[in-house]
Amino acid sequence: MPSTDGTLSAGDTELLRKDFAASPAYRVAQNAVTRVAVDDVAINREIINGTDHSLSTFLDDWKVTNQQRSGRCWLFAGLNLLRVGAMRKMGLKEFEFSQNYAMFWDKIERANYFLDGDHRDRRP
């Protein structure tokens, strides 16, 4: 196949092309990975089927905060991390931080960053 210096000649690549074309399995694999992600095609079902899906840790049954389709998942995730500690510290069963309040200050800080920086249009 490759030469001693690691390069492929035109003849080598032609041989590889013919070998590929002769194998139905190679063509099926090529068709599969050009239609979906390689990770989806290369998944090992034995590992998935052998995975224990039983639960060993149960979480409290707190009400879920729902961002719906607002695009603020980063904000909800962060506030939910803080929420657990706040609920425990205050001994509350239900508690929710104001996402609107946090989002308001996020917008203010972004505007401040923009106005403080050199982000202006430099056209004459």
Side-chain angles (χ1 to χ4, degrees):
M1 274 303 230
S3 64
T4 56
D5 66 352
T7 59
L8 291 173
S9 69
D12 292 334
T13 55
E14 187 56 35
L15 182 63
L16 289 170
R17 234 182 239 115
K18 285 181 181 176
D19 182 44
F20 183 87
S23 172
Y26 292 162
R27 288 194 311 268
V28 168
Q30 180 185 36
N31 290 338
V33 298
T34 56
R35 300 286 297 173
V36 295
V38 173
D39 290 344
D40 293 339
V41 175
I43 196 164
N44 186 339
R45 288 281 166 202
E46 290 175 9
I47 292 173
I48 292 172
N49 292 337
T51 302
D52 181 14
H53 295 286
S54 62
L55 302 175
S56 60
T57 303
F58 292 94
L59 302 175
D60 292 318
D61 59 346
W62 298 326
K63 184 178 143 201
V64 175
T65 58
N66 187 353
Q67 70 156 338
Q68 295 170 350
R69 299 179 127 203
S70 65
R72 301 176 293 168
C73 55
W74 60 271
L75 177 66
F76 278 72
L79 291 177
N80 279 333
L81 286 173
L82 299 173
R83 178 179 172 212
V84 175
M87 288 172 63
R88 286 185 180 143
K89 187 170 186 165
M90 294 184 283
L92 299 173
K93 179 74 174 154
E94 289 187 26
F95 178 78
E96 190 173 326
F97 284 105
S98 170
Q99 293 86 16
N100 291 334
Y101 181 83
M103 194 58 146
F104 170 79
W105 287 107
D106 175 67
K107 296 294 182 193
I108 293 291
E109 288 299 324
R110 287 176 189 248
N112 185 50
Y113 169 78
F114 179 77
L115 294 171
D116 280 349
D118 192 13
H119 306 287
R120 294 174 297 244
D121 189 357
R122 294 178 178 243
R123 288 181 284 185

